[in-house]
Amino acid sequence: LEGELEAIRGAGTWKSERVIASRQGPHLRLAGGGAGILNFCANNYLGLSSHPEVIRAAVEALEKFGAGLSSVRFICGTQSIHKDLEEKIAHFHQREDAILYASCFDANAGIFEALLTPEDAVLSDELNHASIIDGIRLCKANKYRYKHMDMQDLEAKLKEAQKHRLRLVATDGAFSMDGDIAPLREICQLAQKYDALVFIDECHATGFLGPSGRGTDELLGVMDKVTIINSTLGKALGGAAGGYTTGPKPLIDLLRQRSRPYLFSNSLPPAVVGCASKALDLLMESNAIAQSMAAKTQRFRSKMTAAGFTISGKDHPICPVMLGDARLASVMAEDMLNRGIYVIGFSYPVVPKGKARIRVQISAVHSDEDIDRCVEAFTEVGRKHGALP
């Protein structure tokens, strides 16, 4: 193991963990004295992780329902707040029912094995999240991988998969490493043509994409054509933890009977349920927070492009600054921190070799001044390390 660890260090892909000594938010204090740090790498899209009403809801749930259930759901771990939140999630996504998990990783680990048999087929985008890949590995269905967002390749795979009983197309709604959005209209058209179901992972879309923050299916006008949605409570919806599946009631009923991560994991803690429930209330009361994301995202992307950087994706608050070299991404991220900007370099195995980047994430609680300061620091650091002319 020591030899393998040394190889990781030598390749410049070692991942260090910075220790935060404050709440999550646009401004951080790091352990060891780093104060006034601007945070540009959290999934706190709507800034709700430190919202006073969200925190208050968590405290109230903690006081009323306790720290945890010490049990799985079907034994003695289901509280009224779990059922209320599942109903609220289904209503938010305009689906029949929903089921809670400890994380969306667990939701993705639990759905494919429960739903698909050796008679079925699953067709997966090659850049899907690791949790989708792992979930598909657990099932006995026939597996097809299509090129990233390539509809010609997906159609060819769908034709090939016609011999199977059921076909499920699985894709991220928004791809977390690249900031691009799946062509759901075209995927749904192909699914209809070849009698397939559509599954989307909405972890990087729920709460802020679409006119009212419902996600990529709302953004692209296909809410009635996507069969299954998996998403998280740990990003835009409060930022704590937890995930869920929402879709047809028979599917949710089946997951309660057969999904192993659901059957063998403790119930979601009441404080987490309280956070997520209040976050959904705030979203359904007003779409102002969700809509504020677009202008801030565009400000960062346009200013960085004008400075000479290549920003992957389009119109998503995930803004990958493409650098190519793993070591360059790492040293630039460290230099950014020295200038008071918290960002992280991403390299293999999180992204493909040769496609290292610094992934910047815009939040609704970033000010225009915060964004401009980040761009200025990137420009200085980029020139220093030869990433800019």
Side-chain angles (χ1 to χ4, degrees):
L1 292 179
E2 286 296 342
E4 188 170 344
L5 292 171
E6 193 55 44
I8 294 172
R9 293 187 186 95
T13 58
W14 185 267
K15 294 160 190 64
S16 300
E17 296 181 0
R18 297 168 179 168
V19 180
I20 299 169
S22 64
R23 291 179 177 181
Q24 181 64 273
H27 302 87
L28 297 176
R29 185 176 72 257
L30 298 183
I37 303 296
L38 276 177
N39 181 14
F40 276 91
C41 61
N43 296 315
N44 188 25
Y45 293 110
L46 301 179
L48 296 182
S49 63
S50 297
H51 192 287
E53 290 187 51
V54 172
I55 294 171
R56 193 177 308 118
V59 172
E60 290 172 358
L62 182 67
E63 291 177 340
K64 184 174 181 180
F65 292 98
L69 278 299
S70 308
S71 178
V72 300
R73 286 283 295 269
F74 82 95
I75 298 177
C76 64
T78 299
Q79 291 177 319
S80 57
I81 52 174
H82 294 107
K83 300 305 293 182
D84 292 344
L85 179 55
E86 286 169 339
E87 183 178 340
K88 195 174 290 187
I89 287 168
H91 174 71
F92 179 74
H93 285 286
Q94 300 176 18
R95 298 306 196 276
E96 292 179 1
D97 202 357
I99 179 173
L100 290 171
Y101 287 88
S103 68
C104 190
F105 206 111
D106 276 353
N108 285 343
I111 189 165
F112 301 103
E113 184 183 25
L115 177 62
L116 302 175
T117 74
E119 298 178 56
D120 304 320
V122 57
L123 303 95
S124 177
D125 188 293
E126 66 179 350
L127 293 189
N128 276 340
H129 190 268
S131 59
I132 297 177
I133 295 168
D134 286 358
I136 289 172
R137 283 173 177 163
L138 291 171
C139 79
K140 293 181 172 63
N142 298 274
K143 301 167 180 68
Y144 297 82
R145 187 173 67 170
Y146 64 92
K147 295 174 185 176
H148 181 50
M149 301 200 309
D150 186 327
M151 294 300 96
Q152 285 186 326
D153 194 38
L154 175 57
E155 183 165 20
K157 299 292 195 302
L158 279 167
K159 287 178 180 177
E160 189 179 344
Q162 287 300 292
K163 57 193 174 187
H164 304 296
R165 184 193 67 152
L166 182 151
R167 290 154 296 285
L168 178 69
V169 180
T171 181
D172 280 344
F175 290 85
S176 61
M177 288 300 116
D178 296 278
D180 48 11
I181 296 169
L184 281 185
R185 287 196 194 101
E186 293 81 359
I187 289 173
C188 289
Q189 288 168 359
L190 287 173
Q192 186 172 9
K193 181 177 179 180
Y194 292 99
D195 194 22
L197 305 177
V198 177
F199 162 96
I200 54 175
D201 178 313
E202 287 284 79
C203 286
H204 291 275
T206 300
F208 57 93
L209 286 189
S212 57
R214 261 65 177 181
T216 54
D217 61 339
E218 182 190 43
L219 177 72
L220 298 173
V222 290
M223 290 186 76
D224 60 335
K225 294 180 174 61
V226 172
T227 312
I228 308 164
I229 293 173
N230 277 11
S231 195
T232 184
L233 305 172
K235 293 181 172 59
L237 300 184
Y244 59 84
T245 296
T246 185
K249 190 175 189 309
L251 169 67
I252 304 304
D253 289 343
L254 180 69
L255 293 175
R256 292 193 196 280
Q257 301 304 312
R258 291 189 179 169
S259 176
R260 290 165 70 87
Y262 179 81
L263 291 169
F264 295 100
S265 296
N266 262 18
S267 308
L268 208 56
V272 173
V273 176
C275 280
S277 185
K278 177 53 69 173
L280 280 168
D281 288 341
L282 292 172
L283 269 179
M284 289 190 279
E285 285 168 10
S286 170
N287 61 358
I289 302 176
Q291 289 186 339
S292 72
M293 295 294 299
K296 294 180 180 185
T297 298
Q298 179 58 30
R299 185 182 188 92
F300 179 81
R301 284 180 170 271
S302 62
K303 284 181 173 263
M304 286 291 285
T305 302
F309 288 103
T310 298
I311 311 299
S312 179
K314 182 182 178 184
D315 301 331
H316 194 284
I318 291 174
C319 304
V321 183
M322 304 303 293
L323 299 169
D325 181 73
R327 196 177 300 278
L328 175 63
S330 179
V331 297
M332 279 186 61
E334 285 301 315
D335 232 355
M336 289 289 287
L337 185 61
N338 293 334
R339 286 164 170 77
I341 309 294
Y342 190 138
V343 290
I344 295 292
F346 285 70
S347 55
Y348 181 82
V350 181
V351 296
K353 288 182 178 179
K355 294 193 175 181
R357 67 203 64 183
I358 293 176
R359 187 181 71 173
V360 175
Q361 290 173 263
I362 305 300
S363 172
V365 288
H366 282 133
S367 68
D368 287 349
E369 290 75 19
D370 292 340
I371 292 169
D372 292 349
R373 183 177 153 195
C374 182
V375 173
E376 289 168 9
F378 259 113
T379 304
E380 291 174 12
V381 171
R383 286 176 181 154
K384 174 182 174 181
H385 293 283
L388 289 179

